[in-house]
Amino acid sequence: MSLFNVYPLFDITPVKAKDVFVYDEKGIEYLDLYGGHAVISIGHSHPKYVEALSHQITKLGFYSNSIQNPLQEALSEKLGQLSCCIDYELFMCNSGAEANENALKLASFHTNKKKIIAFKNSFHGRTSAAVAATDDAKIISPLNAQQEVEILPLGDLKALEKALLKNDVCAVIIECIQGVGGLDESTTEFYEGIDTLCKKYGACFIADEVQSGFGRTGNFFAFHKYKVTPDIISVAKGMGNGFPVGGILIHNHIKASFGLLGTTFGGNHLACAASLTVLNVIEEENLMENARNMSQYFIEKAQEIPQVKRIKGRGLMLGLEFDFPIVELRKKLINTHHIFTGNAKNQYVIRILPPLTIQKKHIDMFMNALKSELS
């Protein structure tokens, strides 16, 4: 049997990794400024992470959600404390797409409506409703397209209110900083306006923090920059530092009932051990502060490069926009300088999503390589 060929692959085979570096089968060291789609939050093979997962697997790796799991309770308490989301409850699942799927489903249950509002250049996942709310027609099958979704221009509050006036919207879902779309973000007025309009018209405000959450922007969540109270917050990626885990934080005005949501693997013992370790390390090593400091340094250095036309994003969720497609530049960074970076739907943007442990010396390595290729 062969693999279903849906991924264009670089000719690199990683065999081990530590902190911000990945090593291939030939022993070549790569600087990881992409974190496997923003997944690596506390660094590859962090010793406390390795210890926690190793210890947990010797005791109990998995049992279903039909029994008590104190690790879920401990995780919920720690997550509420560190994120300052104490008025929320946690439902765990396995990925960002599943988190958004559950968020949209729960919003529909809560409002008894079914239409979804999303925004241009959004990306919310590849499953049923999540992919329908993603602004990329080529990955939406006819089956997915049966969902009722309206894609609005980012930043257009008048269009949003016009859509909400029809009283058929269950949820407005948005990334406060777009990931795959290319690091675009709108204004404070817009995000706070979404919150106001959702409350006015009885729609759920879903903050998609799958990529931007868990300290990546320098705040625990990207929406913390604004005076908003999302009804549901979706999380994944950096939540497990590589272990598959996701979840939704649900404001306590939305009530649970038995059977409303469910999952086989979500919230298993290993996932909880992984995510608890991530939270503890973020706190103990002041990684949100480091994200802010390294972001400032990165931006200062990038501003010295004239070919960089725009610097996008916040914290360690950054994009460098050029006036030419970046595909060849990115290949040279990987193949010549051994540096992983990301691309975006916007073909002019390089995405920078390193572990939150990155230091100035690593940023200098990237900037030197970039200058070398652009000279």
Side-chain angles (χ1 to χ4, degrees):
M1 183 185 294
S2 60
L3 296 175
F4 196 53
N5 190 18
V6 293
Y7 299 115
L9 302 178
F10 288 103
D11 188 20
I12 299 169
T13 306
V15 294
K16 65 177 182 178
K18 185 172 183 178
D19 194 21
V20 298
F21 293 104
V22 172
Y23 302 87
D24 74 4
E25 59 186 354
K26 302 170 186 175
I28 297 173
E29 179 182 81
Y30 292 84
L31 175 62
D32 186 6
L33 298 189
Y34 191 55
H37 305 307
V39 165
I40 302 301
S41 49
I42 62 171
H44 293 280
S45 304
H46 192 288
K48 291 187 177 179
Y49 180 82
V50 172
E51 180 184 7
L53 282 171
S54 300
H55 178 67
Q56 185 61 46
I57 196 67
T58 63
K59 297 197 304 178
L60 177 64
F62 171 81
Y63 205 75
S64 76
N65 284 303
S66 61
I67 45 79
Q68 299 289 329
N69 185 346
L71 285 173
Q72 285 190 12
E73 295 174 8
L75 175 59
S76 180
E77 183 178 350
K78 187 68 178 181
L79 178 55
Q81 172 201 333
L82 205 55
S83 69
C84 300
C85 292
I86 58 173
D87 295 329
Y88 290 77
E89 297 171 342
L90 176 65
F91 172 79
M92 295 188 70
C93 53
N94 307 282
S95 70
E98 191 180 344
N100 282 329
E101 203 70 43
N102 278 289
L104 292 164
K105 179 181 179 181
L106 183 59
S108 185
F109 271 131
H110 181 67
T111 63
N112 201 32
K113 302 172 187 176
K114 61 180 181 178
K115 187 175 181 180
I116 301 163
I117 299 293
F119 295 92
K120 186 172 175 58
N121 285 329
S122 60
F123 186 93
H124 299 294
R126 291 180 177 269
T127 54
S128 180
V131 77
T134 291
D135 183 26
D136 188 348
K138 70 178 183 292
I139 65 170
I140 301 174
S141 75
L143 177 67
N144 307 133
Q146 295 181 70
Q147 305 281 351
E148 289 190 31
V149 179
E150 186 172 357
I151 305 290
L152 299 180
L154 186 68
D156 193 337
L157 285 175
K158 288 183 179 179
L160 176 58
E161 184 158 25
K162 183 179 178 181
L164 289 169
L165 275 167
K166 299 172 186 175
N167 199 34
D168 59 353
V169 174
C170 71
V172 178
I173 184 168
I174 190 164
E175 308 154 274
C176 287
I177 303 175
Q178 293 184 331
V180 173
L183 285 301
D184 288 322
E185 57 183 321
S186 189
T187 63
T188 297
E189 179 187 12
F190 178 64
Y191 297 112
E192 294 180 359
I194 292 175
D195 192 46
T196 300
L197 289 172
C198 283
K199 289 173 172 57
K200 180 178 179 180
Y201 292 102
C204 287
F205 174 14
I206 301 174
D208 181 342
E209 295 278 354
V210 167
Q211 188 169 131
S212 55
F214 276 68
R216 178 151 296 281
T217 65
N219 299 113
F220 195 88
F221 289 130
F223 76 79
H224 280 148
K225 182 179 177 182
Y226 313 110
K227 296 177 181 178
V228 299
T229 305
D231 298 285
I232 307 171
I233 306 159
S234 55
V235 291
K237 293 195 185 295
M239 184 178 187
N241 199 52
F243 196 94
V245 56
I248 51 175
L249 283 63
I250 306 154
H251 197 277
N252 58 22
H253 72 81
I254 299 176
K255 300 305 177 185
S257 61
F258 291 154
L260 188 68
L261 302 176
T263 172
T264 296
F265 297 105
N268 66 73
H269 296 73
L270 284 173
C272 289
S275 197
L276 267 168
T277 306
V278 167
L279 291 173
N280 287 331
V281 171
I282 286 174
E283 183 177 40
E284 291 164 5
E285 298 186 8
N286 298 313
L287 293 186
M288 284 189 281
E289 181 182 0
N290 190 63
R292 293 190 294 270
N293 291 339
M294 293 304 103
S295 179
Q296 182 179 351
Y297 184 76
F298 184 98
I299 291 168
E300 288 171 358
K301 293 298 180 181
Q303 287 171 338
E304 298 173 0
I305 302 174
Q307 293 91 338
V308 175
K309 302 306 177 186
R310 188 178 171 197
I311 303 166
K312 306 169 76 174
R314 282 187 272 137
L316 292 175
M317 185 175 178
L318 295 167
L320 297 179
E321 189 166 27
F322 300 86
D323 59 6
F324 56 86
I326 56 86
V327 60
E328 293 303 320
L329 174 59
R330 185 167 170 250
K331 285 179 182 178
K332 289 177 180 177
L333 288 170
I334 294 173
N335 295 324
T336 304
H337 301 277
H338 304 140
I339 299 175
F340 290 170
T341 60
N343 60 353
K345 184 179 178 183
N346 181 340
Q347 62 179 331
Y348 300 99
V349 171
I350 284 181
R351 281 197 291 162
I352 305 296
L353 302 161
L356 306 185
T357 54
I358 193 171
Q359 299 298 314
K360 290 180 179 180
K361 61 184 178 181
H362 306 126
I363 294 171
D364 289 341
M365 289 171 64
F366 170 71
M367 292 299 172
N368 291 334
L370 192 60
K371 289 176 183 176
S372 173
E373 289 304 327
L374 293 173
S375 63

